[in-house]
Structures are given as structure tokens and as C-alpha cells.
PDB file of all heavy atoms in Angstrom:
ATOM      1  N   TRP A   1       0.834  -1.196   0.000  1.00 98.00           N
ATOM      2  CA  TRP A   1       0.000   0.000   0.000  1.00 98.00           C
ATOM      3  C   TRP A   1       0.869   1.246   0.000  1.00 98.00           C
ATOM      4  O   TRP A   1       1.875   1.322   0.723  1.00 98.00           O
ATOM      5  CB  TRP A   1      -0.916   0.004   1.221  1.00 98.00           C
ATOM      6  CG  TRP A   1      -2.030  -0.981   1.097  1.00 98.00           C
ATOM      7  CD1 TRP A   1      -2.073  -2.246   1.594  1.00 98.00           C
ATOM      8  CD2 TRP A   1      -3.255  -0.786   0.385  1.00 98.00           C
ATOM      9  NE1 TRP A   1      -3.246  -2.856   1.243  1.00 98.00           N
ATOM     10  CE2 TRP A   1      -4.002  -1.981   0.508  1.00 98.00           C
ATOM     11  CE3 TRP A   1      -3.814   0.271  -0.331  1.00 98.00           C
ATOM     12  CZ2 TRP A   1      -5.260  -2.152  -0.064  1.00 98.00           C
ATOM     13  CZ3 TRP A   1      -5.062   0.115  -0.898  1.00 98.00           C
ATOM     14  CH2 TRP A   1      -5.781  -1.077  -0.762  1.00 98.00           C
ATOM     15  N   TYR A   2       0.457   2.190  -0.810  1.00 98.00           N
ATOM     16  CA  TYR A   2       1.119   3.469  -0.935  1.00 98.00           C
ATOM     17  C   TYR A   2       0.047   4.536  -0.759  1.00 98.00           C
ATOM     18  O   TYR A   2      -1.129   4.262  -0.959  1.00 98.00           O
ATOM     19  CB  TYR A   2       1.774   3.592  -2.310  1.00 98.00           C
ATOM     20  CG  TYR A   2       2.798   2.494  -2.576  1.00 98.00           C
ATOM     21  CD1 TYR A   2       2.389   1.197  -2.865  1.00 98.00           C
ATOM     22  CD2 TYR A   2       4.166   2.754  -2.520  1.00 98.00           C
ATOM     23  CE1 TYR A   2       3.314   0.191  -3.084  1.00 98.00           C
ATOM     24  CE2 TYR A   2       5.098   1.755  -2.748  1.00 98.00           C
ATOM     25  CZ  TYR A   2       4.660   0.469  -3.028  1.00 98.00           C
ATOM     26  OH  TYR A   2       5.571  -0.521  -3.232  1.00 98.00           O
ATOM     27  N   ARG A   3       0.447   5.731  -0.405  1.00 98.00           N
ATOM     28  CA  ARG A   3      -0.546   6.782  -0.232  1.00 98.00           C
ATOM     29  C   ARG A   3      -0.048   8.104  -0.775  1.00 98.00           C
ATOM     30  O   ARG A   3       1.160   8.349  -0.852  1.00 98.00           O
ATOM     31  CB  ARG A   3      -0.940   6.927   1.235  1.00 98.00           C
ATOM     32  CG  ARG A   3       0.157   7.457   2.145  1.00 98.00           C
ATOM     33  CD  ARG A   3      -0.291   7.400   3.603  1.00 98.00           C
ATOM     34  NE  ARG A   3       0.719   7.918   4.520  1.00 98.00           N
ATOM     35  CZ  ARG A   3       0.621   7.844   5.847  1.00 98.00           C
ATOM     36  NH1 ARG A   3      -0.431   7.278   6.412  1.00 98.00           N
ATOM     37  NH2 ARG A   3       1.582   8.347   6.606  1.00 98.00           N
ATOM     38  N   GLN A   4      -1.008   8.943  -1.142  1.00 98.00           N
ATOM     39  CA  GLN A   4      -0.685  10.252  -1.676  1.00 98.00           C
ATOM     40  C   GLN A   4      -1.657  11.266  -1.098  1.00 98.00           C
ATOM     41  O   GLN A   4      -2.866  11.198  -1.345  1.00 98.00           O
ATOM     42  CB  GLN A   4      -0.764  10.259  -3.203  1.00 98.00           C
ATOM     43  CG  GLN A   4      -0.264  11.523  -3.851  1.00 98.00           C
ATOM     44  CD  GLN A   4      -0.064  11.359  -5.353  1.00 98.00           C
ATOM     45  OE1 GLN A   4      -0.602  10.451  -5.967  1.00 98.00           O
ATOM     46  NE2 GLN A   4       0.711  12.247  -5.940  1.00 98.00           N
ATOM     47  N   ALA A   5      -1.111  12.186  -0.311  1.00 96.00           N
ATOM     48  CA  ALA A   5      -1.908  13.268   0.245  1.00 96.00           C
ATOM     49  C   ALA A   5      -1.994  14.402  -0.777  1.00 96.00           C
ATOM     50  O   ALA A   5      -1.131  14.495  -1.659  1.00 96.00           O
ATOM     51  CB  ALA A   5      -1.277  13.767   1.535  1.00 96.00           C
ATOM     52  N   PRO A   6      -2.999  15.270  -0.670  1.00 91.00           N
ATOM     53  CA  PRO A   6      -3.125  16.376  -1.628  1.00 91.00           C
ATOM     54  C   PRO A   6      -1.847  17.203  -1.731  1.00 91.00           C
ATOM     55  O   PRO A   6      -1.319  17.659  -0.711  1.00 91.00           O
ATOM     56  CB  PRO A   6      -4.284  17.192  -1.050  1.00 91.00           C
ATOM     57  CG  PRO A   6      -5.082  16.228  -0.269  1.00 91.00           C
ATOM     58  CD  PRO A   6      -4.096  15.257   0.312  1.00 91.00           C
ATOM     59  N   GLY A   7      -1.355  17.344  -2.938  1.00 93.00           N
ATOM     60  CA  GLY A   7      -0.157  18.141  -3.160  1.00 93.00           C
ATOM     61  C   GLY A   7       1.145  17.459  -2.812  1.00 93.00           C
ATOM     62  O   GLY A   7       2.223  18.061  -2.953  1.00 93.00           O
ATOM     63  N   GLY A   8       1.076  16.221  -2.359  1.00 95.00           N
ATOM     64  CA  GLY A   8       2.284  15.528  -1.935  1.00 95.00           C
ATOM     65  C   GLY A   8       2.654  14.388  -2.861  1.00 95.00           C
ATOM     66  O   GLY A   8       1.887  14.025  -3.749  1.00 95.00           O
ATOM     67  N   PRO A   9       3.823  13.800  -2.649  1.00 96.00           N
ATOM     68  CA  PRO A   9       4.260  12.674  -3.470  1.00 96.00           C
ATOM     69  C   PRO A   9       3.608  11.373  -3.014  1.00 96.00           C
ATOM     70  O   PRO A   9       3.101  11.286  -1.894  1.00 96.00           O
ATOM     71  CB  PRO A   9       5.767  12.623  -3.220  1.00 96.00           C
ATOM     72  CG  PRO A   9       5.897  13.114  -1.806  1.00 96.00           C
ATOM     73  CD  PRO A   9       4.839  14.162  -1.641  1.00 96.00           C
ATOM     74  N   ARG A  10       3.634  10.380  -3.864  1.00 96.00           N
ATOM     75  CA  ARG A  10       3.159   9.060  -3.458  1.00 96.00           C
ATOM     76  C   ARG A  10       4.259   8.423  -2.617  1.00 96.00           C
ATOM     77  O   ARG A  10       5.422   8.389  -3.013  1.00 96.00           O
ATOM     78  CB  ARG A  10       2.848   8.188  -4.672  1.00 96.00           C
ATOM     79  CG  ARG A  10       2.196   6.859  -4.315  1.00 96.00           C
ATOM     80  CD  ARG A  10       1.743   6.097  -5.557  1.00 96.00           C
ATOM     81  NE  ARG A  10       0.724   6.834  -6.295  1.00 96.00           N
ATOM     82  CZ  ARG A  10       0.041   6.302  -7.324  1.00 96.00           C
ATOM     83  NH1 ARG A  10       0.277   5.045  -7.710  1.00 96.00           N
ATOM     84  NH2 ARG A  10      -0.854   7.028  -7.960  1.00 96.00           N
ATOM     85  N   GLU A  11       3.891   7.903  -1.444  1.00 97.00           N
ATOM     86  CA  GLU A  11       4.871   7.320  -0.546  1.00 97.00           C
ATOM     87  C   GLU A  11       4.465   5.915  -0.135  1.00 97.00           C
ATOM     88  O   GLU A  11       3.279   5.589  -0.072  1.00 97.00           O
ATOM     89  CB  GLU A  11       5.035   8.184   0.712  1.00 97.00           C
ATOM     90  CG  GLU A  11       3.773   8.331   1.538  1.00 97.00           C
ATOM     91  CD  GLU A  11       3.984   9.164   2.796  1.00 97.00           C
ATOM     92  OE1 GLU A  11       5.047   9.769   2.955  1.00 97.00           O
ATOM     93  OE2 GLU A  11       3.056   9.175   3.644  1.00 97.00           O
ATOM     94  N   MET A  12       5.455   5.103   0.152  1.00 98.00           N
ATOM     95  CA  MET A  12       5.210   3.747   0.597  1.00 98.00           C
ATOM     96  C   MET A  12       4.670   3.766   2.012  1.00 98.00           C
ATOM     97  O   MET A  12       5.174   4.476   2.873  1.00 98.00           O
ATOM     98  CB  MET A  12       6.509   2.937   0.532  1.00 98.00           C
ATOM     99  CG  MET A  12       6.356   1.461   0.833  1.00 98.00           C
ATOM    100  SD  MET A  12       6.469   1.028   2.600  1.00 98.00           S
ATOM    101  CE  MET A  12       8.225   1.253   2.890  1.00 98.00           C
ATOM    102  N   VAL A  13       3.652   2.981   2.268  1.00 98.00           N
ATOM    103  CA  VAL A  13       3.089   2.815   3.604  1.00 98.00           C
ATOM    104  C   VAL A  13       3.540   1.478   4.187  1.00 98.00           C
ATOM    105  O   VAL A  13       4.120   1.423   5.263  1.00 98.00           O
ATOM    106  CB  VAL A  13       1.558   2.887   3.571  1.00 98.00           C
ATOM    107  CG1 VAL A  13       0.976   2.609   4.951  1.00 98.00           C
ATOM    108  CG2 VAL A  13       1.088   4.238   3.046  1.00 98.00           C
ATOM    109  N   ALA A  14       3.250   0.412   3.475  1.00 98.00           N
ATOM    110  CA  ALA A  14       3.627  -0.931   3.920  1.00 98.00           C
ATOM    111  C   ALA A  14       3.652  -1.850   2.710  1.00 98.00           C
ATOM    112  O   ALA A  14       2.797  -1.759   1.840  1.00 98.00           O
ATOM    113  CB  ALA A  14       2.661  -1.467   4.964  1.00 98.00           C
ATOM    114  N   VAL A  15       4.645  -2.718   2.693  1.00 98.00           N
ATOM    115  CA  VAL A  15       4.816  -3.671   1.596  1.00 98.00           C
ATOM    116  C   VAL A  15       5.074  -5.036   2.199  1.00 98.00           C
ATOM    117  O   VAL A  15       5.699  -5.150   3.264  1.00 98.00           O
ATOM    118  CB  VAL A  15       5.994  -3.267   0.692  1.00 98.00           C
ATOM    119  CG1 VAL A  15       6.265  -4.322  -0.353  1.00 98.00           C
ATOM    120  CG2 VAL A  15       5.704  -1.929   0.018  1.00 98.00           C
ATOM    121  N   ILE A  16       4.610  -6.072   1.514  1.00 98.00           N
ATOM    122  CA  ILE A  16       4.832  -7.427   2.006  1.00 98.00           C
ATOM    123  C   ILE A  16       5.253  -8.326   0.856  1.00 98.00           C
ATOM    124  O   ILE A  16       4.740  -8.207  -0.260  1.00 98.00           O
ATOM    125  CB  ILE A  16       3.569  -7.978   2.714  1.00 98.00           C
ATOM    126  CG1 ILE A  16       3.885  -9.268   3.472  1.00 98.00           C
ATOM    127  CG2 ILE A  16       2.420  -8.159   1.737  1.00 98.00           C
ATOM    128  CD1 ILE A  16       2.792  -9.648   4.469  1.00 98.00           C
ATOM    129  N   THR A  17       6.211  -9.206   1.120  1.00 96.00           N
ATOM    130  CA  THR A  17       6.629 -10.156   0.101  1.00 96.00           C
ATOM    131  C   THR A  17       5.642 -11.318   0.043  1.00 96.00           C
ATOM    132  O   THR A  17       4.828 -11.504   0.957  1.00 96.00           O
ATOM    133  CB  THR A  17       8.020 -10.726   0.414  1.00 96.00           C
ATOM    134  OG1 THR A  17       7.941 -11.561   1.573  1.00 96.00           O
ATOM    135  CG2 THR A  17       9.030  -9.610   0.662  1.00 96.00           C
ATOM    136  N   MET A  18       5.699 -12.099  -1.004  1.00 94.00           N
ATOM    137  CA  MET A  18       4.820 -13.256  -1.120  1.00 94.00           C
ATOM    138  C   MET A  18       5.158 -14.298  -0.062  1.00 94.00           C
ATOM    139  O   MET A  18       4.331 -15.169   0.241  1.00 94.00           O
ATOM    140  CB  MET A  18       4.902 -13.841  -2.527  1.00 94.00           C
ATOM    141  CG  MET A  18       4.315 -12.920  -3.607  1.00 94.00           C
ATOM    142  SD  MET A  18       2.564 -12.492  -3.368  1.00 94.00           S
ATOM    143  CE  MET A  18       2.699 -10.914  -2.488  1.00 94.00           C
ATOM    144  N   GLY A  19       6.343 -14.184   0.534  1.00 94.00           N
ATOM    145  CA  GLY A  19       6.697 -15.056   1.645  1.00 94.00           C
ATOM    146  C   GLY A  19       6.209 -14.538   2.985  1.00 94.00           C
ATOM    147  O   GLY A  19       6.363 -15.200   4.016  1.00 94.00           O
ATOM    148  N   GLY A  20       5.644 -13.328   2.977  1.00 94.00           N
ATOM    149  CA  GLY A  20       5.054 -12.800   4.198  1.00 94.00           C
ATOM    150  C   GLY A  20       5.921 -11.856   4.995  1.00 94.00           C
ATOM    151  O   GLY A  20       5.577 -11.511   6.135  1.00 94.00           O
ATOM    152  N   SER A  21       7.018 -11.374   4.432  1.00 97.00           N
ATOM    153  CA  SER A  21       7.885 -10.451   5.160  1.00 97.00           C
ATOM    154  C   SER A  21       7.443  -9.006   4.917  1.00 97.00           C
ATOM    155  O   SER A  21       7.431  -8.554   3.783  1.00 97.00           O
ATOM    156  CB  SER A  21       9.335 -10.625   4.715  1.00 97.00           C
ATOM    157  OG  SER A  21       9.799 -11.919   5.024  1.00 97.00           O
ATOM    158  N   PRO A  22       7.104  -8.276   5.988  1.00 98.00           N
ATOM    159  CA  PRO A  22       6.604  -6.915   5.819  1.00 98.00           C
ATOM    160  C   PRO A  22       7.693  -5.846   5.976  1.00 98.00           C
ATOM    161  O   PRO A  22       8.705  -6.073   6.654  1.00 98.00           O
ATOM    162  CB  PRO A  22       5.600  -6.788   6.962  1.00 98.00           C
ATOM    163  CG  PRO A  22       6.204  -7.622   8.057  1.00 98.00           C
ATOM    164  CD  PRO A  22       6.932  -8.753   7.358  1.00 98.00           C
ATOM    165  N   THR A  23       7.418  -4.706   5.367  1.00 98.00           N
ATOM    166  CA  THR A  23       8.226  -3.507   5.554  1.00 98.00           C
ATOM    167  C   THR A  23       7.267  -2.352   5.763  1.00 98.00           C
ATOM    168  O   THR A  23       6.267  -2.244   5.049  1.00 98.00           O
ATOM    169  CB  THR A  23       9.110  -3.232   4.321  1.00 98.00           C
ATOM    170  OG1 THR A  23       9.974  -4.351   4.096  1.00 98.00           O
ATOM    171  CG2 THR A  23       9.954  -1.981   4.527  1.00 98.00           C
ATOM    172  N   TYR A  24       7.570  -1.493   6.732  1.00 98.00           N
ATOM    173  CA  TYR A  24       6.682  -0.377   7.058  1.00 98.00           C
ATOM    174  C   TYR A  24       7.411   0.954   6.953  1.00 98.00           C
ATOM    175  O   TYR A  24       8.604   1.052   7.258  1.00 98.00           O
ATOM    176  CB  TYR A  24       6.144  -0.511   8.481  1.00 98.00           C
ATOM    177  CG  TYR A  24       5.285  -1.732   8.712  1.00 98.00           C
ATOM    178  CD1 TYR A  24       5.829  -2.888   9.247  1.00 98.00           C
ATOM    179  CD2 TYR A  24       3.930  -1.701   8.392  1.00 98.00           C
ATOM    180  CE1 TYR A  24       5.048  -4.005   9.457  1.00 98.00           C
ATOM    181  CE2 TYR A  24       3.129  -2.820   8.600  1.00 98.00           C
ATOM    182  CZ  TYR A  24       3.691  -3.975   9.134  1.00 98.00           C
ATOM    183  OH  TYR A  24       2.906  -5.076   9.335  1.00 98.00           O
ATOM    184  N   ALA A  25       6.667   1.977   6.598  1.00 98.00           N
ATOM    185  CA  ALA A  25       7.188   3.334   6.714  1.00 98.00           C
ATOM    186  C   ALA A  25       7.296   3.677   8.193  1.00 98.00           C
ATOM    187  O   ALA A  25       6.491   3.214   9.013  1.00 98.00           O
ATOM    188  CB  ALA A  25       6.248   4.314   6.019  1.00 98.00           C
ATOM    189  N   ASN A  26       8.274   4.499   8.544  1.00 98.00           N
ATOM    190  CA  ASN A  26       8.456   4.864   9.954  1.00 98.00           C
ATOM    191  C   ASN A  26       7.203   5.517  10.533  1.00 98.00           C
ATOM    192  O   ASN A  26       6.890   5.327  11.716  1.00 98.00           O
ATOM    193  CB  ASN A  26       9.644   5.807  10.097  1.00 98.00           C
ATOM    194  CG  ASN A  26      10.972   5.103   9.895  1.00 98.00           C
ATOM    195  OD1 ASN A  26      11.084   3.898  10.104  1.00 98.00           O
ATOM    196  ND2 ASN A  26      11.984   5.849   9.472  1.00 98.00           N
ATOM    197  N   SER A  27       6.490   6.242   9.711  1.00 97.00           N
ATOM    198  CA  SER A  27       5.331   6.989  10.199  1.00 97.00           C
ATOM    199  C   SER A  27       4.164   6.097  10.624  1.00 97.00           C
ATOM    200  O   SER A  27       3.259   6.553  11.324  1.00 97.00           O
ATOM    201  CB  SER A  27       4.854   7.975   9.131  1.00 97.00           C
ATOM    202  OG  SER A  27       4.511   7.281   7.944  1.00 97.00           O
ATOM    203  N   VAL A  28       4.179   4.836  10.211  1.00 98.00           N
ATOM    204  CA  VAL A  28       3.054   3.951  10.547  1.00 98.00           C
ATOM    205  C   VAL A  28       3.475   2.759  11.399  1.00 98.00           C
ATOM    206  O   VAL A  28       2.621   1.963  11.810  1.00 98.00           O
ATOM    207  CB  VAL A  28       2.331   3.451   9.273  1.00 98.00           C
ATOM    208  CG1 VAL A  28       1.902   4.627   8.407  1.00 98.00           C
ATOM    209  CG2 VAL A  28       3.196   2.479   8.485  1.00 98.00           C
ATOM    210  N   LYS A  29       4.755   2.628  11.679  1.00 98.00           N
ATOM    211  CA  LYS A  29       5.222   1.502  12.485  1.00 98.00           C
ATOM    212  C   LYS A  29       4.544   1.514  13.838  1.00 98.00           C
ATOM    213  O   LYS A  29       4.443   2.541  14.495  1.00 98.00           O
ATOM    214  CB  LYS A  29       6.745   1.579  12.659  1.00 98.00           C
ATOM    215  CG  LYS A  29       7.532   1.031  11.495  1.00 98.00           C
ATOM    216  CD  LYS A  29       9.037   1.100  11.764  1.00 98.00           C
ATOM    217  CE  LYS A  29       9.830   0.589  10.578  1.00 98.00           C
ATOM    218  NZ  LYS A  29      11.293   0.719  10.789  1.00 98.00           N
ATOM    219  N   GLY A  30       4.078   0.341  14.240  1.00 97.00           N
ATOM    220  CA  GLY A  30       3.412   0.208  15.524  1.00 97.00           C
ATOM    221  C   GLY A  30       1.920   0.512  15.474  1.00 97.00           C
ATOM    222  O   GLY A  30       1.201   0.222  16.431  1.00 97.00           O
ATOM    223  N   ARG A  31       1.457   1.097  14.375  1.00 98.00           N
ATOM    224  CA  ARG A  31       0.031   1.417  14.238  1.00 98.00           C
ATOM    225  C   ARG A  31      -0.639   0.606  13.123  1.00 98.00           C
ATOM    226  O   ARG A  31      -1.781   0.183  13.260  1.00 98.00           O
ATOM    227  CB  ARG A  31      -0.154   2.907  13.942  1.00 98.00           C
ATOM    228  CG  ARG A  31       0.369   3.828  15.020  1.00 98.00           C
ATOM    229  CD  ARG A  31      -0.038   5.287  14.746  1.00 98.00           C
ATOM    230  NE  ARG A  31       0.494   5.792  13.485  1.00 98.00           N
ATOM    231  CZ  ARG A  31      -0.253   6.281  12.500  1.00 98.00           C
ATOM    232  NH1 ARG A  31      -1.563   6.296  12.609  1.00 98.00           N
ATOM    233  NH2 ARG A  31       0.317   6.739  11.397  1.00 98.00           N
ATOM    234  N   PHE A  32       0.079   0.403  12.033  1.00 98.00           N
ATOM    235  CA  PHE A  32      -0.474  -0.308  10.883  1.00 98.00           C
ATOM    236  C   PHE A  32       0.107  -1.716  10.831  1.00 98.00           C
ATOM    237  O   PHE A  32       1.253  -1.953  11.230  1.00 98.00           O
ATOM    238  CB  PHE A  32      -0.133   0.408   9.582  1.00 98.00           C
ATOM    239  CG  PHE A  32      -0.843   1.714   9.367  1.00 98.00           C
ATOM    240  CD1 PHE A  32      -1.541   2.347  10.384  1.00 98.00           C
ATOM    241  CD2 PHE A  32      -0.812   2.317   8.121  1.00 98.00           C
ATOM    242  CE1 PHE A  32      -2.185   3.549  10.188  1.00 98.00           C
ATOM    243  CE2 PHE A  32      -1.459   3.524   7.892  1.00 98.00           C
ATOM    244  CZ  PHE A  32      -2.138   4.144   8.926  1.00 98.00           C
TER     245      PHE A  32
END
């Protein structure tokens, strides 16, 4: 999942591999 706020760039939120390994943006770690 990626997100884009009005006037801002598209940024990564969270990504997961097909093996199930996740990566999170610092801004959402612990919440998402």
C-alpha cells in the first residue's frame, strides 16, 4: 500500500513479500 496526500508525493506505507515479510514506513510503524 502506498498513499498520496493532496499536493504531496506518493509514498510507501507498507509492503509485504509473497513469503510474508513486511516492511513499514516509519510513520506507521506500531500502528499499521
Side-chain angles (χ1 to χ4, degrees):
W1 286 96
Y2 301 75
R3 68 187 181 187
Q4 188 167 19
R10 187 173 297 189
E11 61 179 9
M12 186 273 287
V13 176
V15 174
I16 192 165
T17 69
M18 292 301 95
S21 297
T23 301
Y24 297 96
N26 288 335
S27 59
V28 306
K29 278 182 182 177
R31 299 188 299 123
F32 290 12

